[in-house]
Amino acid sequence: MSEKEKDTLNEENLTPEEQSGVNQGQDALSSDKPAAEKPAPAKTDKDAPASAHAAKTPKAGSVPPTPAPASGNKLWMVVSLVLAIVLVVVLIKPPFAKGGSSEAVATVNGEKITKDKLYGALVKVGGTQTLDNLISETLLNQELSKKGLKVAQADIDKEKEFIKKQYGDEETFQSALMQSGMSEEDFNDQMEMQAKLRKLLEPEVKVTDEDVKKYFEENKASYDTPEEVKASHILVATKEEAEDILKQLKNGADFAKLAKEKSTDPGSKDQGGDLGYFPRGKMAKEFEDTAFKLKDGELSGVVKTDFGYHIIKRTGYKAAHAATLDEKKADIKEQLIFQQLMQKAPTWLADIKAKAKITNSLEKAEASNKEESK
């Protein structure tokens, strides 16, 4: 799959400018691999992303890109309240305290690296932002306490499920998480803060049935799903080898086993040749035309493409479907609420910060250093 074909997440929930994830597809026929690795071409004039329903499960060799958020460079929220560096910094005694610790956190040929030195280095790397995040978290907790609100584990789990749903399946979500550099623990912390924001701000959010209907009508095409087939294939370099494999299959050989043993497609061989579901316009024309003409369970003859010789087995079919408002109403409302929360959060947080009495030693230290350097 080309990068253009992989660059959006679940279009049925987001407009193009708000997309924050990926559509999964079949790397097995990608046009942007080196020629030696390409099992079949996918050159097509349909560079726009396919329906979010196409191929929910990525195959071996498919690496979903890190999703792009609505704004900024954070993975989950416009307002990021937790950074991984927090987990390190909070364990180290600040250098501002009297009698800063000289305890060694490491030694190099007998020379100590102290906690204070490590803390100072971490502050330079991300201390200001980290402290600001901790201040925001503290303010958030104080606001919850003022209003007598509590966030339960069920609230956090709901946020986690909402985000994971945007990726279609757990495997794709974990791939995106890994590429973002976030651990599962980081993600859980982020979802706790997100749940707290929702608890405080959602009562101010209003999404009407008319809003949902308008959004659906303006984005209906992204909800419709095209005709799709599911297929497996075995790719080899020569016609003679393909014909020999086809003969074995007709004599009762196991398709998946032969694919693992014989196929030269690195993206599907470990899955027994399985490519998942795909719509028209994703695969090489010769490959695609054959797959759509087959019946479920039927084998093709030898099919030649620019990448070699294929034997194709169709294993499933999904007819095209025009989405209805009733089908998508709940998802759209959930998404619109989330969008409004994201829009309100920065202004709301800035407002409560402006009203709070905050002392920030890092800011004072930075200001002092700037004065001394003049």
Side-chain angles (χ1 to χ4, degrees):
M1 172 187 286
S2 70
E3 288 305 314
K4 286 183 180 180
E5 293 168 336
K6 295 193 295 185
D7 67 357
T8 59
L9 160 70
N10 208 350
E11 285 186 327
E12 66 182 8
N13 283 332
L14 297 176
T15 59
E17 62 271 18
E18 295 162 337
Q19 288 162 357
S20 60
V22 293
N23 278 333
Q24 291 76 49
Q26 295 72 30
D27 239 18
L29 305 183
S30 171
S31 62
D32 36 25
K33 287 184 178 182
E37 296 183 9
K38 296 177 182 177
K43 294 180 180 179
T44 155
D45 58 359
K46 297 184 179 180
D47 284 331
S51 160
H53 297 275
K56 291 291 185 183
T57 306
K59 302 302 165 190
S62 296
V63 181
T66 302
S71 64
N73 60 1
K74 293 298 178 187
L75 180 58
W76 311 117
M77 279 287 287
V78 172
V79 182
S80 176
L81 299 176
V82 180
L83 295 180
I85 195 170
V86 171
L87 302 176
V88 179
V89 173
V90 296
L91 300 177
I92 303 172
K93 188 176 181 180
F96 316 113
K98 293 181 180 180
S101 174
S102 60
E103 181 182 345
V105 293
T107 60
V108 181
N109 295 324
E111 182 177 345
K112 294 194 299 183
I113 297 175
T114 66
K115 279 187 176 181
D116 281 355
K117 189 171 184 178
L118 173 59
Y119 182 89
L122 288 171
V123 166
K124 288 181 181 179
V125 173
T128 302
Q129 182 62 57
T130 299
L131 183 55
D132 188 60
N133 288 342
L134 289 170
I135 289 169
S136 297
E137 181 180 352
T138 302
L139 286 169
L140 200 61
N141 290 334
Q142 289 175 354
E143 288 297 309
L144 286 166
S145 180
K146 284 179 189 178
K147 296 183 179 182
L149 299 173
K150 293 184 178 180
V151 170
Q153 186 60 46
D155 298 315
I156 299 170
D157 291 342
K158 182 179 178 181
E159 296 300 321
K160 290 164 67 173
E161 288 307 308
F162 174 80
I163 294 298
K164 289 184 176 183
K165 186 168 67 174
Q166 311 308 308
Y167 290 83
D169 60 73
E170 182 68 19
E171 184 176 357
T172 307
F173 165 75
Q174 290 296 335
S175 294
L177 193 68
M178 180 177 64
Q179 288 194 9
S180 76
M182 292 182 77
S183 68
E184 194 80 37
E185 184 177 7
D186 297 333
F187 173 69
N188 290 336
D189 286 341
Q190 193 93 359
M191 292 304 97
E192 182 176 357
M193 293 301 101
Q194 187 165 302
K196 290 177 179 179
L197 274 172
R198 185 186 292 272
K199 185 74 73 171
L200 287 163
L201 297 182
E202 193 164 11
E204 302 176 19
V205 172
K206 304 297 179 186
V207 175
T208 66
D209 288 344
E210 189 59 34
D211 293 332
V212 173
K213 182 180 179 182
K214 181 181 177 183
Y215 187 91
F216 176 77
E217 290 173 348
E218 290 176 350
N219 299 277
K220 187 178 183 306
S222 68
Y223 294 101
D224 296 339
T225 55
E227 177 187 34
E228 295 176 316
V229 295
K230 185 179 182 183
S232 297
H233 80 140
I234 299 173
L235 172 67
V236 292
T238 68
K239 183 178 180 180
E240 290 74 21
E241 186 177 6
E243 288 176 339
D244 179 63
I245 291 171
L246 181 59
K247 183 178 179 181
Q248 293 180 55
L249 291 170
K250 288 182 176 180
N251 287 332
D254 182 80
F255 190 100
K257 183 179 179 181
L258 279 181
K260 290 178 181 179
E261 293 174 355
K262 305 288 187 180
S263 183
T264 59
D265 172 18
S268 68
K269 66 177 296 179
D270 290 341
Q271 283 70 47
D274 182 23
L275 297 170
Y277 280 95
F278 54 89
R280 294 184 184 276
K282 290 291 185 182
M283 306 297 187
K285 188 176 187 307
E286 305 92 335
F287 189 101
E288 177 182 287
D289 287 347
T290 301
F292 273 88
K293 287 177 182 177
L294 292 171
K295 297 176 181 178
D296 286 358
E298 185 179 2
L299 285 173
S300 72
V302 174
V303 178
K304 184 180 184 301
T305 71
D306 290 347
F307 303 99
Y309 296 85
H310 310 256
I311 299 157
I312 306 166
K313 181 178 181 180
R314 180 165 134 173
T315 56
Y317 175 79
K318 293 180 182 179
H321 176 69
T324 66
L325 177 58
D326 284 344
E327 290 173 342
K328 301 299 178 182
K329 185 175 182 179
D331 287 342
I332 293 173
K333 186 170 184 178
E334 184 180 31
Q335 186 62 40
L336 292 179
I337 289 172
F338 184 70
Q339 288 171 11
Q340 286 196 34
L341 289 173
M342 286 175 29
Q343 291 165 4
K344 284 179 176 292
T347 303
W348 176 84
L349 189 56
D351 185 52
I352 63 171
K353 277 186 178 180
K355 295 175 182 177
K357 183 179 179 181
I358 299 171
T359 59
N360 188 323
S361 297
L362 275 183
E363 284 185 353
K364 289 180 180 180
E366 286 182 352
S368 177
N369 290 336
K370 286 180 182 178
E371 286 297 321
E372 292 176 1
S373 63
K374 287 182 180 179

